[in-house]
């Protein structure tokens, strides 16, 4: 029952911890408006999709202790479908009409990358490595946790300023260098043209000093990421068809695969193709929309 004299309600978090020989208590009080009926648009305005992503990731990791991974992924899918169905606006059974509030717009992509992350997928990881990755996620602050779920990708090109780019295979171009930060790993991926020029020794030829200068920035970026983080991430410098290139390709959205249609004559293919049977982010979102608009 709401108190009419005060329309707010309060939640207190009491944290007890030790500092040296002292025992301390920290109390955090949160206030929010109470309503007789749930107002979902108002709730959406206060939704923090970054914090929610880390929370869901930690819950999923906790479930892996007692639940098969297949069931954990199904729980993750059901949670995402319910959230999108509850807060999205749409006409029933018409997926093309679904729209999410700006505060939830990135959440489906985070869930897509969480399903493929090393925190849940154990293929090609030892039990010890998987355990360490999951412990780090549970203890990490929000920003680091989001990075573990969805790596950051930066593009360096001789024709454009460095910039953050989408975690998509279309970002892989022959004449750029990509720096991927997964928190656990830092990967520098050389495009085909860049790798070929390095093999021919252009980066050591004084006549191509501008090329050597170009390579400094992505390498310095990667070195700074490695040097300023604890625990220290692994560092890889790779190119197409390198064995360790799988670390890079496993985390990127395979929007173009070997099964995709080839470009029409006269059209230029954007990005490389990934040899995988994984669904792309676009296919994941399309299927999510179909299921979300069927919910009652």
């Amino acid at each position: 029952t709401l108190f009419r004299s005060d329309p707010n309600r309060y939640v207190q978090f009491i944290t007890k911890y030790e500092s040296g020989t002292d025992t301390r208590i920290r109390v955090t009080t949160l206030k929010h408006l109470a309503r007789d009926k749930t107002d979902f648009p108002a709730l959406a305005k206060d939704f923090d999709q970054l914090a929610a992503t880390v929370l869901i990731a930690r819950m999923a990791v906790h479930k892996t202790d007692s639940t098969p991974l297949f069931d954990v992924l199904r729980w993750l899918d059901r949670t995402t479908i319910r959230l999108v169905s509850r807060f999205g606006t749409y006409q029933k059974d018409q997926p093309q009409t679904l729209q999410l509030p700006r505060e939830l717009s990135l959440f489906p992509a985070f869930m897509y990358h969480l399903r493929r992350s090393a925190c849940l997928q154990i293929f090609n990881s030892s039990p010890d490595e998987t355990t360490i990755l999951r412990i780090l996620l549970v203890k990490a602050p929000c920003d680091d946790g989001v990075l573990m779920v969805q790596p950051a990708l930066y593009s360096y090109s001789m024709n454009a300023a460095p910039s953050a780019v989408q975690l998509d295979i279309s970002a892989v171009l022959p004449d750029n260098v990509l720096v991927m930060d997964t928190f656990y790993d830092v990967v520098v991926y050389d495009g085909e043209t860049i790798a070929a020029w390095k093999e021919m020794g252009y980066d050591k030829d004084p006549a191509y000093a501008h090329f050597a200068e170009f390579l400094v920035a992505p390498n310095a970026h990667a070195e700074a990421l490695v040097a300023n983080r604890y625990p220290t991430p692994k560092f890889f410098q790779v190119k197409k068809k390198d064995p360790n290139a799988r670390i890079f390709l496993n985390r990127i959205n395979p929007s173009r695969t070997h099964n995709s249609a080839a470009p029409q004559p006269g059209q230029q293919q954007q990005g490389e193709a990934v040899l995988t049977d994984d669904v792309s982010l676009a296919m994941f979102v399309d299927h999510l929309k179909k299921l979300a608009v069927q919910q009652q």
Side-chain angles (χ1 to χ4, degrees):
T1 303
L2 300 179
F3 294 97
R4 298 303 176 184
S5 60
D6 186 356
N8 300 305
R9 58 181 176 181
Y10 304 86
V11 177
Q12 282 192 331
F13 295 92
I14 302 177
T15 306
K16 185 177 181 180
Y17 63 98
E18 295 181 355
S19 177
T21 58
D22 298 332
T23 300
R24 302 179 182 179
I25 295 179
R26 183 176 63 189
V27 179
T28 303
T29 304
L30 303 179
K31 178 183 75 172
H32 64 92
L33 185 65
R35 299 177 183 271
D36 293 320
K37 184 178 180 181
T38 302
D39 185 351
F40 288 106
L43 285 177
K45 293 180 180 179
D46 295 325
F47 186 78
D48 187 334
Q49 52 192 336
L50 301 183
T53 296
V54 176
L55 176 61
I56 292 294
R58 291 177 178 178
M59 292 174 65
V61 164
H62 177 70
K63 286 180 176 292
T64 59
D65 290 340
S66 57
T67 307
L69 179 59
F70 177 79
D71 293 331
V72 174
L73 294 179
R74 291 191 62 184
W75 168 83
L76 191 62
D77 292 341
R78 289 194 301 268
T79 301
T80 307
I81 292 168
R82 284 197 299 267
L83 185 71
V84 171
S85 178
R86 184 63 60 88
F87 288 95
T89 57
Y90 56 87
Q91 298 178 21
K92 185 172 173 57
D93 296 328
Q94 296 187 30
Q96 69 278 8
T97 64
L98 177 64
Q99 292 184 336
L100 286 176
R102 178 178 58 86
E103 294 80 7
L104 279 78
S105 59
L106 301 177
F107 190 77
F110 284 136
M111 294 301 99
Y112 169 78
H113 289 292
L114 174 59
R115 297 175 93 264
R116 306 176 73 231
S117 71
C119 299
L120 295 182
Q121 300 295 337
I122 60 176
F123 178 75
N124 207 33
S125 296
S126 68
D128 290 346
E129 186 177 12
T130 299
T131 300
I132 289 296
L133 299 185
R134 291 175 176 176
I135 290 175
L136 288 175
L137 174 64
V138 171
K139 293 180 174 292
C142 185
D143 289 345
D144 290 344
V146 171
L147 198 58
M148 296 176 192
V149 171
Q150 180 172 315
L153 189 64
Y154 305 91
S155 174
Y156 288 82
S157 172
M158 300 181 70
N159 302 319
S163 62
V165 293
Q166 291 187 349
L167 191 64
D168 191 277
I169 191 60
S170 62
V172 181
L173 300 173
D175 59 349
N176 73 347
V177 177
L178 296 173
V179 178
M180 175 185 282
D181 181 10
T182 74
F183 188 85
Y184 316 116
D185 305 309
V186 174
V187 185
V188 176
Y189 188 96
D190 293 330
E192 282 191 271
T193 300
I194 300 296
W197 288 349
K198 290 172 69 174
E199 288 179 357
M200 289 185 284
Y202 288 173
D203 56 326
K204 299 179 176 63
D205 189 339
Y208 297 93
H210 64 286
F211 178 59
E213 293 173 0
F214 160 72
L215 296 176
V216 170
N219 289 327
H221 184 182
E223 290 172 2
L225 290 173
V226 173
N228 296 325
R229 180 170 301 152
Y230 181 82
T232 303
K234 300 177 188 175
F235 174 73
F236 301 93
Q237 183 142 16
V238 301
K239 59 184 178 182
K240 186 177 181 179
K241 296 184 179 179
D242 276 355
N244 286 329
R246 59 182 172 76
I247 299 171
F248 176 88
L249 297 174
N250 283 346
R251 300 306 307 274
I252 208 162
N253 172 35
S255 60
R256 174 174 288 276
T257 70
H258 62 291
N259 293 321
S260 301
Q264 297 296 323
Q267 293 182 346
Q268 183 178 3
Q269 177 173 315
Q270 295 297 318
E272 295 186 7
V274 184
L275 299 176
T276 181
D277 291 325
D278 288 350
V279 300
S280 66
L281 174 59
M283 294 177 63
F284 174 82
V285 171
D286 287 344
H287 193 57
L288 172 62
K289 288 180 178 180
K290 292 178 182 178
L291 295 177
V293 299
Q294 296 173 3
Q295 300 293 306
Q296 296 292 334

